């Protein structure tokens, strides 16, 4: 990239007086500063033990790019660089080309674990005699309750997210625990998000404060983050590159390490200005803003509102529009598609959904107000308009026969659509593309088991095929039957349905069964339905039912009239939040299973999903509390038990067993912590059961999934 000083002036260039202070004068830098007195910690973390859904492609390559500049144009000896890498791919497939120093690091890099990070930063580098310390870190990043930046390490695991507390480490480096005359200059460059850490025990970061001594006057720190607090950093997974790292290295170019550190404030301003121009053109408003803490003279040179292009904003809703919404939303609870509509509003406007999980408010009018306060995409579309458009679409569709769908409300749908048309005409807004059609589910077999009325042994059993319509396909005769008979009938029905012809216009197709739900009495909730053998391929081969289908249990008959209100309220809240609210999920352990647990679970809509980490003796009491509290979704281990811990080798630290079936990992969103993926649970439990099918580990496939949708019910007819 051409340095601004090397090209002719451009009239479009901003006034230099608007760019903040000039680069650090030479008098602020130690006269001895050079490559041999420069040291660095460079880390790139792409893989995390907590879940494969945390993995991301790019940070390891970004770390090597920075190391290539530091050991190339920067001429810093490889012996001065500590490289920590945990790449997704084989390290030999990474690009190690470049200066000899980078090739030397290929033989000395270490995994990016918490222990290695602390050893390098708090033990090894403080013993070195240098003038300048670089810290470059690429990977995930989260803020704790004290706004400290926590950088998860490769050995982050469920229940214990091992990490580096960067703020605490930087405070430590300003104290006399580092000898007075060493490292007067320290630069931290972080290509990571700065979003709030999830409020859930399964993402337990704990606390990491490294202490420190007395502050040493004159030590100067320069911090450059890829995002502001609460914002995500952009990563191009296909190209394996962080946007922040690419822009920064383009500014550093082929400068020496002394020129690089001298011009670092100028480079930071140029990067900030470049992204501001993108935002000004409406080409990337969702990209993170950049925060620069201090210049080398210890003065702040970028505040929260630096001069530059004005960010694009959506047209604000007028008073007539608000009056109409007040009438439309009066007395309306959040519909089951509320979060879906909220997320669609951003996509329809060409924006990115906010990083935060769940809806921003508990009423439709407050959600609309939140949308109206946000900036829009290139077209300036008010975000509340596609939000209402989506609500209208779902209100019209909801009664289309989908299992569990709410009742259609054509009158409200028509009023919402009329409001959208009026606002578009009045504000001269562009045309709106229609929302996507609701996701459809494959057919399901519903197996209902009931004890006989006369107290006989055995069960009354019926099976329905569930699709666009419910069809009774099998029922037991007058005499009660045992579970073996039910299993035989189920296997036969699956064989018949799998052999049925595709839809030909003459009637419904029975192909594509993907779910099997067992509606059972309380005593059968832990029955091993998912482990029932099903013939597969040759006559001699069988597979567990739960590895072939999404198998869940239900127990609606235990939710009598006194708890049915809580059950329905919690389910509707779960649907309205699309299962993404941070309070949706709760882990319950033995100590919490008391006589009042059911009352506490039913006091509020949250939690709507419980992960049971209880022992065998406390599991029945946990299940009673779930039903009393109206909790519709739960996962636990048949027979009890929290996630297993592998026995360590002699002298080795204890490590948690990998998922499956680590219960918190089943709820991890696709790209790291955030909103829990509750509605993905049935599919993920099947994945866990399928992965465990070939394992011999004790209890590897003991997962039980309770999935009890009060709006997805069968109206049974009398037994034959």
């Amino acid at each position: 990239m051409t340095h601004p000083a090397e090209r002719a002036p451009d009239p479009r260039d901003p006034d230099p007086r608007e760019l903040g202070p000039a680069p650090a004068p030479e008098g602020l830098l130690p006269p001895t500063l050079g490559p041999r007195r420069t040291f660095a910690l460079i880390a790139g973390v792409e893989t995390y033990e907590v879940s494969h859904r945390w993995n991301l492609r790019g940070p390891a390559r970004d770390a090597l790019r920075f190391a290539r500049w530091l050991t190339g144009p920067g001429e810093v000896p490889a012996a001065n660089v500590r490289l920590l890498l945990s790449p997704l791919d084989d390290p030999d497939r990474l690009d190690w080309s470049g200066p000899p120093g980078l090739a030397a690091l290929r033989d000395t890099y270490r995994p990016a674990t918490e222990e290695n990070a602390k050893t390098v930063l708090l033990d090894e580098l403080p013993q070195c005699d240098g003038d300048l310390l670089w810290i470059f870190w690429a990977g995930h990043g989260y803020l704790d309750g004290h706004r400290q930046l926590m950088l998860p390490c490769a050995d982050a695991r469920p229940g214990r997210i091992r990490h580096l507390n960067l703020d605490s480490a930087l405070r430590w480096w300003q104290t006399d625990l580092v000898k007075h005359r060493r490292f007067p200059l320290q630069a931290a460059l972080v290509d990571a998000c700065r979003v709030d850490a999830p409020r859930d025990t399964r993402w337990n970061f704990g606390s990491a404060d490294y202490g420190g001594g007395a502050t040493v006057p004159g030590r100067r720190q320069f911090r450059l983050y890829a995002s502001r607090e609460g914002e995500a950093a952009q990563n191009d997974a296909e190209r394996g590159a962080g946007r922040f790292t690419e822009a920064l290295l383009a500014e550093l170019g082929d400068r020496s390490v002394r020129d690089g550190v001298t011009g670092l404030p100028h480079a930071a301003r140029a990067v900030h200005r470049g992204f501001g121009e993108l935002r000004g053109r409406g080409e990337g408003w969702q990209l993170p803003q950049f925060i620069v803490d201090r210049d080398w003279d210890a003065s702040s040179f970028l505040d929260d509102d630096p001069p530059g292009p004005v960010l694009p904003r959506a047209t604000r809703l007028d008073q007539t529009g608000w009056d109409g919404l007040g009438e439309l939303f009066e007395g309306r609870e959040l519909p089951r598609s509320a979060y879906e509509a909220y997320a669609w509003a951003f996509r329809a406007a060409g924006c990115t959904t906010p990083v935060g999980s769940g809806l921003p408010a508990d009423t439709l009018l407050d959600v609309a107000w939140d949308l109206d306060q946000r900036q829009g995409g290139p077209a300036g579309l008010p975000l509340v308009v596609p939000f209402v458009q989506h609500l209208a679409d779902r209100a019209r569709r909801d009664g289309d026969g989908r299992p569990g769908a709410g009742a259609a409300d054509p009158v409200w749908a028509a009023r919402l659509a009329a409001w959208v048309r009026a606002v578009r005409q009045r504000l001269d807004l562009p045309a709106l593309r229609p929302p996507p059609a609701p996701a459809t589910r494959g057919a399901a077999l519903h197996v209902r088991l009931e004890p006989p009325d006369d107290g006989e042994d055995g069960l009354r059993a019926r099976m329905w095929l569930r699709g666009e319509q419910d069809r009774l396909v099998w029922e037991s005769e007058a005499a009660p039957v045992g579970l073996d008979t039910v299993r035989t009938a189920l296997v036969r029905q699956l064989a018949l349905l799998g052999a049925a012809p595709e839809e030909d216009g003459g009637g419904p197709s029975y192909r594509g069964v993907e779910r099997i739900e067992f509606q059972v009495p309380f005593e059968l909730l832990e029955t091993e339905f998912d482990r029932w053998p099903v013939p597969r391929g040759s006559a001699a081969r069988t597979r567990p039912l739960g590895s072939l289908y999404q198998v869940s249990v239900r127990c609606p008959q235990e939710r009598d009239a006194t708890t049915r209100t809580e059950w329905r309220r919690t389910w509707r809240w779960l649907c309205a939040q699309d299962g993404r609210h941070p309070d949706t999920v709760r882990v319950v352990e033995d100590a919490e299973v008391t006589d009042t647990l059911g009352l506490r679970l039913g006091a509020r809509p949250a939690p709507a999903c419980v992960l049971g980490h209880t022992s065998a003796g406390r599991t029945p009491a946990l299940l009673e509390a779930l039903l009393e509290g109206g909790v519709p979704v739960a996962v636990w281990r048949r027979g009890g038990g929290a996630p297993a811990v592998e026995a360590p080798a002699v002298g080795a630290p204890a490590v948690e067993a990998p998922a499956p079936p680590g219960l918190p990992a089943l709820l991890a969103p696709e790209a790291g912590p955030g909103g829990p993926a509750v509605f993905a649970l049935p599919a993920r439990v099947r994945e866990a059961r399928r992965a465990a099918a070939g394992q011999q580990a004790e209890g590897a496939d003991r997962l039980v999934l309770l999935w009890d949708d009060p709006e997805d019910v069968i109206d049974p007819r009398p037994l034959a």
Side-chain angles (χ1 to χ4, degrees):
M1 182 174 181
T2 305
H3 193 277
E6 298 173 355
R7 59 174 170 84
D10 190 319
R12 295 172 298 179
D13 286 347
D15 189 328
R17 292 171 295 180
E18 297 180 354
L19 298 182
E26 284 289 329
L28 289 176
L29 304 183
T32 56
L33 175 61
R36 296 190 177 280
R37 294 188 58 78
T38 298
F39 292 80
L41 162 63
I42 302 175
V45 194
E46 294 184 342
T47 62
Y48 299 83
E49 294 182 21
V50 62
S51 170
H52 70 275
R53 296 182 178 88
W54 276 47
N55 295 348
L56 67 165
R57 190 174 301 279
R61 290 159 178 78
D62 289 338
L64 288 184
R65 290 186 182 103
F66 188 81
R68 184 175 291 110
W69 170 76
L70 200 62
T71 59
E75 299 181 344
V76 174
N80 291 14
V81 178
R82 307 297 189 270
L83 179 62
L84 304 182
L85 282 184
S86 291
L88 267 173
D89 300 325
D90 186 330
D92 291 336
R93 296 177 58 186
L94 298 175
D95 183 7
W96 295 92
S97 62
L102 184 60
L105 291 175
R106 184 173 186 171
D107 299 324
T108 61
Y109 82 88
R110 286 170 270 182
T113 63
E114 180 190 41
E115 186 61 31
N116 284 341
K118 288 165 46 179
T119 297
V120 167
L121 201 54
L122 303 179
D123 293 332
E124 295 179 10
L125 290 176
Q127 302 305 315
C128 300
D129 187 5
D131 294 323
L132 171 64
L133 170 70
W134 291 95
I135 299 174
F136 177 90
W137 191 287
H140 287 305
Y142 298 95
L143 297 175
D144 67 6
H146 301 288
R147 321 312 298 163
Q148 298 182 113
L149 181 57
M150 301 178 294
L151 303 172
C153 298
D155 52 346
R157 294 167 183 161
R160 184 180 179 188
I161 307 300
R162 294 183 172 91
H163 66 280
L164 176 70
N165 184 330
L166 183 65
D167 287 277
S168 180
L170 290 175
R171 286 195 300 272
W172 189 94
W173 268 84
Q174 287 183 309
T175 70
D176 58 5
L177 294 181
V178 180
K179 292 186 178 179
H180 283 249
R181 297 183 180 275
R182 295 180 181 176
F183 297 105
L185 303 180
Q186 301 160 17
L189 314 174
V190 182
D191 195 348
C193 302
R194 299 175 73 205
V195 297
D196 292 338
R199 295 173 294 174
D200 195 308
T201 55
R202 69 188 189 280
W203 309 123
N204 174 33
F205 282 85
S207 60
D209 188 344
Y210 310 126
T215 301
V216 175
R219 279 216 175 98
R220 297 185 292 276
Q221 286 184 345
F222 179 97
R223 306 187 194 187
L224 180 59
Y225 301 120
S227 58
R228 293 191 180 191
E229 289 186 356
E231 292 186 343
Q234 290 288 320
N235 181 67
D236 190 336
E238 291 185 5
R239 297 173 54 239
R243 300 279 182 89
F244 165 78
T245 301
E246 278 206 334
L248 177 63
L249 290 177
E251 290 297 328
L252 292 175
D254 58 356
R255 300 182 187 183
S256 68
V257 69
R258 188 176 184 93
D259 289 344
V261 71
T262 300
L264 189 55
H266 175 86
R269 289 193 295 272
V271 169
H272 187 279
R273 186 170 64 251
F275 276 94
E277 290 170 355
L278 284 176
R279 294 163 69 99
R281 295 196 298 268
E283 297 177 5
W285 76 266
Q286 78 281 6
L287 297 177
Q289 289 185 320
F290 292 81
I291 291 181
V292 180
D293 189 9
R294 300 294 178 199
D295 201 343
W296 291 123
D297 64 358
S299 298
S300 176
F301 62 84
L302 279 180
D303 58 22
D304 285 340
D305 296 299
V310 178
L311 301 180
R313 286 202 59 86
T315 304
R316 301 295 289 274
L317 198 59
D318 58 9
Q319 187 59 50
T320 302
W322 280 114
D323 291 343
L325 283 186
E327 296 177 3
L328 287 169
F329 291 166
E330 183 179 4
R332 290 273 175 178
E333 296 181 355
L334 289 174
R336 59 185 298 134
S337 60
Y339 181 86
E340 189 182 353
Y342 181 75
W344 166 249
F346 292 89
R347 292 197 297 273
C351 308
T352 296
T353 308
V355 174
S357 303
L359 291 170
D362 295 326
T363 68
L364 281 172
L365 206 58
D366 286 339
V367 172
W369 179 262
D370 173 86
L371 288 167
D372 199 55
Q373 300 303 304
R374 295 181 181 272
Q375 64 192 44
L381 177 69
L383 296 177
V384 70
V385 175
F387 172 71
V388 177
Q389 176 207 26
H390 193 288
L391 294 178
D393 179 82
R394 292 301 186 262
R396 175 179 61 85
R397 291 176 179 267
D398 266 353
D400 62 4
R402 288 176 293 113
D409 191 341
V411 174
W412 194 50
R415 293 177 62 200
L416 292 170
W419 182 91
V420 171
R421 288 194 298 271
V423 171
R424 281 188 53 220
Q425 293 172 2
R426 194 169 59 252
L427 301 183
D428 192 24
L429 300 178
L432 298 174
R433 56 175 172 153
T440 58
R441 296 190 297 175
L445 268 181
H446 179 88
V447 182
R448 183 163 180 160
L449 305 177
E450 301 171 291
D453 295 334
D454 54 11
E456 293 182 73
D457 294 334
L459 298 163
R460 302 282 188 176
R462 282 171 283 186
M463 294 184 195
W464 284 266
L465 177 66
R466 313 207 61 194
E468 293 184 359
Q469 296 179 344
D470 296 333
R471 180 185 296 252
L472 183 68
V473 294
W474 178 85
E475 60 182 325
S476 61
E477 301 298 335
V481 298
L483 287 178
D484 287 343
T485 301
V486 177
R487 180 179 61 205
T488 301
L490 175 63
V491 170
R492 183 172 181 272
Q493 288 300 318
L494 291 174
L496 291 173
L497 298 175
E502 292 284 1
E503 178 79 41
D504 60 3
S509 169
Y510 296 154
R511 299 287 300 274
V513 172
E514 67 176 24
R515 297 174 292 118
I516 301 177
E517 51 190 29
F518 291 85
Q519 182 171 327
V520 299
F522 181 83
E523 295 76 15
L524 295 183
L525 279 176
E526 290 203 288
T527 303
E528 298 181 342
F529 298 116
D530 56 283
R531 301 182 71 174
W532 280 2
V534 178
R536 189 75 166 173
S538 65
R541 173 177 292 176
T542 62
R543 298 294 186 196
L545 185 68
S547 66
L548 302 175
Y549 303 94
Q550 297 176 13
V551 176
S552 61
V553 293
R554 308 186 61 176
C555 197
Q557 61 268 38
E558 295 292 337
R559 304 176 189 271
D560 57 31
T562 60
T563 62
R564 192 169 296 272
T565 299
E566 290 85 350
W567 180 32
R568 292 182 178 276
R569 178 198 62 184
T570 299
W571 179 262
R572 292 189 64 83
W573 178 85
L574 174 69
C575 293
Q577 300 286 347
D578 198 30
R580 298 173 185 269
H581 194 282
D583 295 335
T584 301
V585 181
R586 176 173 170 181
V587 176
V588 175
E589 300 179 347
D590 275 0
E592 301 173 85
V593 183
T594 64
D595 290 341
T596 62
L597 177 60
L599 293 174
R600 288 184 279 118
L601 291 175
R604 299 172 55 246
C609 174
V610 165
L611 304 181
H613 285 192
T614 52
S615 62
R618 301 305 297 159
T619 298
L622 169 66
L623 302 185
E624 290 179 1
L626 296 179
L627 298 176
E628 180 188 0
V631 177
V633 179
V635 182
W636 68 94
R637 281 185 171 76
R638 187 178 296 110
V645 178
E646 294 179 349
V650 176
V655 295
E656 291 85 350
L663 301 189
L666 294 172
L667 288 157
E670 290 301 323
V678 173
F679 283 99
L681 255 180
R684 291 187 177 180
V685 168
R686 180 180 60 179
E687 292 174 8
R689 289 167 173 162
R690 183 173 294 169
Q695 298 178 4
Q696 302 300 318
E698 177 67 22
D701 56 349
R702 290 189 290 124
L703 290 181
V704 184
L705 169 65
L706 172 72
W707 192 269
D708 221 344
D709 179 353
E711 298 176 1
D712 186 10
V713 295
I714 292 281
D715 183 16
R717 64 180 179 83
L719 285 168

